[in-house]
Amino acid sequence: MSVTVQFITGGARFEEYRDPLAWALGTLGIDADLAEDHPPDTVDYIVYAPFDGQVDLSGYTRAKATLGLWAGVETIIANPTLTMPYARMVDAGLTQGMVEWVTGHVLRHHLGLDLDICRQDARWAYRVPPLASQRKVGLLGLGALGSACARALAGLGFEVAGWSRRPKALDCVICLAGETGLREVLARSEILVLLLPHTAATENILDAAALATLPQGAVVLNPGRGALVDDAALLAALDAGQIAHATLDTFRVEPLPETDPYWTHPKVTVTPHLASVTRPETAAAVIAENIRRGEAGEPFLHLVDRDAGY
Ligand SMILES: NC(=O)c1ccc[n+]([C@@H]2O[C@H](COP(=O)([O-])OP(=O)(O)OC[C@H]3O[C@@H](n4cnc5c(N)ncnc54)[C@H](OP(=O)(O)O)[C@@H]3O)[C@@H](O)[C@H]2O)c1
């Protein structure tokens, strides 16, 4: 079996993925012609990460699917020329990266590590560190990433609650849905993690009312999407002491402009959208499996529901 695979990913990604993908396809018995310059009407599958903005895909008339390298989809599905099935990236490396970023930043705030790291002032200021079982963590979003983070945090002993669109059941995690469920998760979350996609329904979900529902002195982590947060409301809540700290990895405008108040706010930590990245070693296997499925006439994994917007 032989397939033609077009990379639309920006030059460096092709070099990173060519050999791992050829190898992964080979293990499935699939020969592939991988390139960045196939004539569009000869292409069977597109590997996609449009770093340079929207791409006109209308010439890819025989492509069976576009296979994304990113987990987030809001800019991609806004492309009117993306008419074939679109599968987003769900891969073990991406998930593990997010689990490590989230647990690391939760532990920073839970243990008050800044006190130890920043105050080396020759004072033997003994304090009893809290236990995870005394800390309530909430996650908005219990998908591929949110559920893995919820499990990891519950495994450390945190009291974890999560919120999703459809009801869910996860061991050792209080799973809630709907408007009431949202308020319940917010009201109990001393540390709140946003792992929702950006859709019309989730835009500004962390607005002034939601921030006021959190316990006073709560911490917010946003590795989801910048547009989930009403920035002016968050800055006001930080200044008022309602929110003790925000650790933000995603922003409405990226890179975050130099003049953005988040950079200099004493209660904000900015990380440059690095919470989790797609790793060629693990992602190549996901793409290869979807190509195998396409060739076998089986349903693709991780297809995006364009009506739901994620
Ligand atoms: N910072 C980074 O480096 C980075 C890296 C990767 C991804 N991300 C972000 O993380 C997001 C989540 O990724 P994922 O792979 O976990 O996505 P996912 O598997 O699609 O999960 C999304 C979760 O959000 C829930 N949700 C969506 N709309 C909702 C609504 N209106 N109300 C309540 N819950 C809603 C879904 O509910 P259901 O379970 O009911 O569908 C699901 O639990 C991505 O969309 C992306 O924006 C960031």
Side-chain angles (χ1 to χ4, degrees), residues 70-74 88-91 94-95 97-98 101 140-148 163-168 176-179 182 194-203 205 222-226 228 249-250 254 271-278 302 304 308-310:
W70 297 339
V73 302
E74 68 276 19
R88 72 190 188 96
M89 181 50 65
V90 176
D91 104 273
L94 191 65
T95 303
M98 186 60 81
W101 189 93
L140 302 190
L142 285 177
L145 301 177
S147 61
W163 185 69
S164 54
R165 187 165 62 93
R166 296 160 293 191
K168 282 225 155 34
L176 298 163
E179 277 301 310
L182 175 60
L194 304 182
L195 272 170
L196 292 163
H198 174 202
T199 67
T202 63
E203 170 121 16
I205 196 155
N222 185 15
R225 279 292 182 266
L228 302 174
D249 186 59
T250 55
E254 294 182 2
T271 61
H273 202 140
L274 49 59
S276 170
V277 296
T278 306
H302 316 310
V304 170
Y310 67 100

Side-chain angles (χ1 to χ4, degrees), residues 188-264:
R188 73 192 300 285
S189 297
E190 297 166 273
I191 301 176
L192 181 75
V193 184
L194 304 182
L195 272 170
L196 292 163
H198 174 202
T199 67
T202 63
E203 170 121 16
N204 281 331
I205 196 155
L206 199 66
D207 59 7
L211 288 159
T213 307
L214 289 165
Q216 193 182 13
V219 166
V220 171
L221 310 183
N222 185 15
R225 279 292 182 266
L228 302 174
V229 175
D230 176 336
D231 294 313
L234 176 58
L235 287 164
L238 286 160
D239 290 339
Q242 167 62 11
I243 302 300
H245 198 95
T247 295
L248 308 173
D249 186 59
T250 55
F251 305 90
R252 278 168 200 271
V253 179
E254 294 182 2
L256 187 65
E258 279 178 29
T259 52
D260 194 285
Y262 281 144
W263 280 118
T264 48

Side-chain angles (χ1 to χ4, degrees), residues 3-7 14 21 25 32-36 38 43-47 287 291:
V3 294
T4 303
V5 179
Q6 182 87 302
F7 274 70
F14 179 54
L21 182 56
L25 286 165
D33 184 358
L34 310 178
E36 294 182 289
H38 290 301
V43 167
D44 298 309
Y45 298 93
I46 301 168
V47 176
I287 296 167
I291 291 176

Side-chain angles (χ1 to χ4, degrees), residues 1-3 18-34 284-285 287-289 291-292:
M1 174 190 321
S2 177
V3 294
R18 181 179 43 204
D19 293 346
L21 182 56
W23 184 84
L25 286 165
T27 64
L28 299 174
I30 301 170
D31 270 342
D33 184 358
L34 310 178
I287 296 167
E289 169 60 13
I291 291 176
R292 186 200 67 73

Side-chain angles (χ1 to χ4, degrees), residues 279-309:
R279 322 263 165 174
E281 318 81 60
T282 44
V286 178
I287 296 167
E289 169 60 13
N290 255 342
I291 291 176
R292 186 200 67 73
R293 284 168 170 258
E295 293 308 285
E298 295 173 21
F300 292 109
L301 297 173
H302 316 310
L303 280 181
V304 170
D305 174 348
R306 293 181 200 209
D307 293 333

Side-chain angles (χ1 to χ4, degrees), residues 62-86:
R62 79 172 220 195
K64 294 175 190 161
T66 295
L67 308 172
L69 295 184
W70 297 339
V73 302
E74 68 276 19
T75 55
I76 291 171
I77 60 174
N79 181 350
T81 67
L82 179 71
T83 51
M84 67 288 275
Y86 180 73

Side-chain angles (χ1 to χ4, degrees), residues 67-147:
L67 308 172
L69 295 184
W70 297 339
V73 302
E74 68 276 19
T75 55
I76 291 171
I77 60 174
N79 181 350
T81 67
L82 179 71
T83 51
M84 67 288 275
Y86 180 73
R88 72 190 188 96
M89 181 50 65
V90 176
D91 104 273
L94 191 65
T95 303
Q96 181 61 21
M98 186 60 81
V99 166
E100 292 183 14
W101 189 93
V102 167
T103 50
H105 285 279
V106 165
L107 284 168
R108 169 194 173 190
H109 295 295
H110 164 63
L111 292 173
L113 293 181
D114 292 15
L115 281 175
D116 300 325
I117 294 166
C118 304
R119 286 196 206 153
Q120 295 290 303
D121 57 1
R123 277 191 303 128
W124 192 261
Y126 188 80
R127 64 192 169 88
V128 179
L131 288 175
S133 57
Q134 299 168 301
R135 184 76 64 194
K136 293 188 172 74
V137 181
L139 293 112
L140 302 190
L142 285 177
L145 301 177
S147 61

